[in-house]
Amino acid sequence: MKPIIAGTTLALSIILAGAANSKSLVYCSEASPEGFDPARYTSGSTFDASSKTVYNRLVEYKRGSTEIVPALAERWEISDDGKTYTFHLRSGVHFQSNEDFKPTRDLTADDVVFSFERQSGKADFAAYANGASWSYYNDVGLAQSVESIAKVDDLTVRFTLRKPNAPFLGLLALDFASILSKEYADKLVTDNRIDDLNQKPIGTGPFQFVAYQQDAAIRYQAFGDYWGGKQPIDDLVFAITTDASTRIQRLKAGECQIAVYPVPSDIPALKEDSSLKVLQRPGLNVGYLAFNTTQKPFDDARVRRAITQAINKQAILDAVYQGAGVEAKSVLPPDMMGYNSALKTVQYDPNAARSTISQLGLTGQQVKLWAMPVSRPYNPNGRRTAELLQADLQNIGLSAQIVSFEWGEYLKRSSDPKHDGSVLAGWTADNGDPDSFLTPLLSCASVGGNNKAGWCNKDFDALLDKARSETNEAARAKLYQQAQQKAADETPWIPLANGVITVATSANVIGYQIEPSDAHRFDGVDIAE
């Protein structure tokens, strides 16, 4: 993925040149993708550029909701004991092509089995991995849950679980479960070009990858043989624009038709602009500060609780969210099943925090504070949030150094259990199930992945394990409430805010919807001419 030219505007004009006589939609995105193989990553900006455009999954979410609907699997059965899922694939589903690959067959069960088994860590699939860690697959516990994945016939696949797993079907709708072409992967291994699986994606989705100008623009074309029908948009372009104000400037100038995550203070004026539409919905998300609980001084729960006492969340809400967020009390957002509204939490008390830090002999201690480099509804301005946290820590006698990195590097380094300091991060529900927060973010299995706190608590894990196997929703909810209290007592991270999702579009954009997961989908989107 080497740059073709320098300069975002020039790169975008060249990529758009090939689409001059077609209907084009330009999306001002907030970050570059880490790659185009969604199973390797966990970032929403990567999923938008890969799984939401190029690929499909066995089941997916209905646009604008968390309702599971058929996709590559047109129907499925679940055994009475909840341990066997049998999927019947659509016939005649075509794969895309590129200059190096022309598929010789349609989608079969071989592609489904391959797409999951390559993430299992089995030696037979090492040639396809090339250093991938398959974080999502492991973080949501599939490695422990799935006993086998078997091809029954060309259009039938059977998953056998070790025990019932209530959120399992929803997990298969997540981005890491995208279905790749085994034929394409095999050819790349033979040609010693397996990296192209992550750089030149081939899928069955609504849009076909055309070109990527690193950190500038990505171009897609509507896939004419898409099983769901050709899209209204002929050409889709991601104009990568990391600065929030610049995204809105480009939207107003007509350089893009959709722009995400405006600065909260700009939203009232955007709503007054008749040439634009402003879409908003509460997000199933949480922004948080994760302590690396494996490193001093954050390995001491007393230190973590003292810092939690020191943080003025209301000041952060006023300065950073400006009405586009509410105080987070728990790991889970308040509208999610199992949310513990009676949670006992550490209360704001900077004097008590200062006293604890002094008693522990940590006055003057230097710590690192990681600032997110991108805007998200759960944290519109990572740098400003970090500065406010830095002042709060200074107030209790701790000296915080703010550090940051390019987004892909930030994600990679902060997932390393050996990283130094506390990390600003966040999460948005993928499937509306509480397990999609608690397991990938705080379970023992997710240490080294999305568990940026490196926190491993066997009692917490036992509650999650029991909840996954529980089919009664009220009983599940009670278990998740207990798990939240366990996390609140141990304080591996500080929940800061639940943010409102805001997207601005040109007035002539038709059919765009904000997803509960904060994903950005362009299937079904059109532009009035």
Side-chain angles (χ1 to χ4, degrees):
M1 290 188 279
K2 294 181 179 179
I4 301 169
I5 54 174
T8 301
T9 303
L10 183 56
L12 180 57
S13 66
I14 287 179
I15 284 182
L16 278 171
N21 298 316
S22 59
K23 184 182 287 189
S24 300
L25 174 72
V26 181
Y27 163 58
C28 275
S29 64
E30 81 289 1
S32 299
E34 301 153 277
F36 293 91
D37 180 351
R40 292 172 174 260
Y41 306 110
T42 62
S43 168
S45 49
T46 296
F47 295 155
D48 292 342
S50 58
S51 45
K52 296 297 188 290
T53 50
V54 177
Y55 295 105
N56 291 117
R57 288 141 295 284
L58 291 173
V59 294
E60 296 182 357
Y61 296 108
K62 184 178 180 180
R63 290 181 64 229
S65 79
T66 56
E67 177 187 347
I68 296 173
V69 296
L72 295 180
E74 59 185 0
R75 58 188 175 87
W76 56 89
E77 296 103 29
I78 305 173
S79 63
D80 290 341
D81 65 3
K83 295 198 296 184
T84 302
Y85 289 69
T86 303
F87 294 91
H88 302 275
L89 307 181
R90 296 179 187 274
S91 62
V93 173
H94 300 304
F95 279 102
Q96 302 151 3
S97 63
N98 59 29
E99 68 277 10
D100 299 315
F101 173 74
K102 303 294 184 285
T104 65
R105 62 168 176 80
D106 292 338
L107 171 82
T108 72
D110 292 322
D111 302 302
V112 177
V113 174
F114 164 75
S115 296
F116 286 95
E117 288 280 53
R118 74 187 183 115
Q119 302 179 61
S120 67
K122 295 177 181 177
D124 291 348
F125 295 88
Y128 304 98
N130 195 25
S133 61
W134 315 123
S135 177
Y136 223 128
Y137 181 91
N138 291 301
D139 286 358
V140 298
L142 282 196
Q144 294 77 33
S145 298
V146 177
E147 183 174 287
S148 65
I149 307 171
K151 171 184 176 180
V152 178
D153 57 44
D154 278 351
L155 294 177
T156 311
V157 180
R158 180 168 295 139
F159 290 73
T160 303
L161 309 183
R162 293 185 173 90
K163 55 185 176 182
N165 186 325
F168 180 71
L169 191 62
L171 295 178
L172 297 188
L174 301 185
D175 304 84
F176 78 92
S178 296
I179 305 304
L180 280 64
S181 165
K182 184 178 187 299
E183 184 184 19
Y184 180 46
D186 287 342
K187 184 179 188 302
L188 293 178
V189 168
T190 300
D191 295 346
N192 196 30
R193 293 190 296 112
I194 193 59
D195 284 348
D196 280 2
L197 203 63
N198 192 32
Q199 298 177 6
K200 298 179 179 180
I202 293 287
T204 61
F207 294 97
Q208 180 168 317
F209 175 85
V210 176
Y212 174 40
Q213 162 62 45
Q214 188 167 344
D215 299 329
I218 316 167
R219 182 184 166 199
Y220 309 86
Q221 289 179 338
F223 180 34
D225 290 328
Y226 178 49
W227 59 269
K230 183 187 174 298
Q231 297 303 301
I233 297 298
D234 298 308
D235 288 87
L236 172 65
V237 175
F238 282 34
I240 299 164
T241 312
T242 57
D243 180 72
S245 296
T246 304
R247 287 196 295 273
I248 297 304
Q249 290 170 9
R250 300 184 79 171
L251 176 67
K252 290 181 175 180
E255 294 181 17
C256 60
Q257 288 76 49
I258 300 177
V260 293
Y261 316 142
V263 175
S265 60
D266 291 342
I267 293 174
L270 294 176
K271 290 180 177 180
E272 297 297 321
D273 190 332
S274 61
S275 68
L276 304 177
K277 291 189 287 190
V278 177
L279 310 177
Q280 290 185 299
R281 71 179 294 170
L284 289 175
N285 61 42
V286 62
Y288 61 88
L289 178 71
F291 302 108
N292 186 343
T293 61
T294 70
Q295 305 283 333
K296 292 185 179 300
F298 305 127
D299 59 340
D300 188 335
R302 294 173 298 174
V303 175
R304 301 195 299 268
R305 285 193 287 270
I307 293 176
T308 303
Q309 286 180 307
I311 302 307
N312 188 339
K313 294 185 184 181
Q314 189 59 52
I316 294 173
L317 286 169
D318 292 342
V320 177
Y321 295 82
Q322 300 182 43
V326 297
E327 180 183 347
K329 303 285 181 65
S330 172
V331 175
L332 292 185
D335 292 332
M336 183 167 282
M337 184 271 283
Y339 177 76
N340 189 344
S341 58
L343 196 67
K344 298 177 181 177
T345 60
V346 177
Q347 299 300 302
Y348 178 57
D349 190 343
N351 291 329
R354 189 182 307 108
S355 176
T356 298
I357 293 300
S358 176
Q359 290 171 13
L360 293 174
L362 293 175
T363 301
Q365 173 80 35
Q366 293 188 345
V367 295
K368 287 185 179 178
L369 183 59
W370 294 42
M372 286 175 53
V374 298
S375 302
R376 287 287 188 271
Y378 56 69
N379 193 333
N381 189 329
R383 168 60 67 167
R384 181 62 180 138
T385 302
E387 290 169 349
L388 292 167
L389 291 170
Q390 182 184 45
D392 286 339
L393 295 183
Q394 182 70 37
N395 186 41
I396 64 169
L398 297 176
S399 176
Q401 175 192 2
I402 297 175
V403 299
S404 191
F405 307 91
E406 178 273 331
W407 185 226
E409 190 68 16
Y410 186 96
L411 293 169
K412 179 181 178 181
R413 292 192 184 204
S414 62
S415 295
D416 185 343
K418 296 180 181 178
H419 77 262
D420 184 14
S422 53
V423 175
L424 280 171
W427 194 255
T428 301
D430 294 301
N431 59 12
D433 192 283
D435 189 75
S436 74
F437 270 79
L438 299 173
T439 293
L441 295 181
L442 287 169
S443 69
C444 295
S446 63
V447 173
N450 282 303
N451 186 342
K452 299 183 188 303
W455 184 65
C456 177
N457 184 287
K458 298 299 183 181
D459 293 336
F460 180 86
D461 270 20
L463 289 167
L464 300 189
D465 189 57
K466 188 175 180 180
R468 274 192 294 272
S469 302
E470 177 58 66
T471 57
N472 180 278
E473 186 170 292
R476 285 190 80 208
K478 186 174 181 179
L479 291 166
Y480 289 130
Q481 289 167 358
Q482 293 174 30
Q484 289 166 77
Q485 189 61 64
K486 177 67 67 175
D489 292 342
E490 291 291 319
T491 325
W493 41 269
I494 307 173
L496 295 174
N498 308 116
V500 173
I501 303 171
T502 303
V503 178
T505 78
S506 299
N508 63 342
V509 171
I510 301 170
Y512 180 84
Q513 299 182 53
I514 293 181
E515 301 296 320
S517 65
D518 193 27
H520 303 288
R521 293 178 57 173
F522 303 97
D523 51 313
V525 179
D526 199 357
I527 297 179
E529 294 182 315

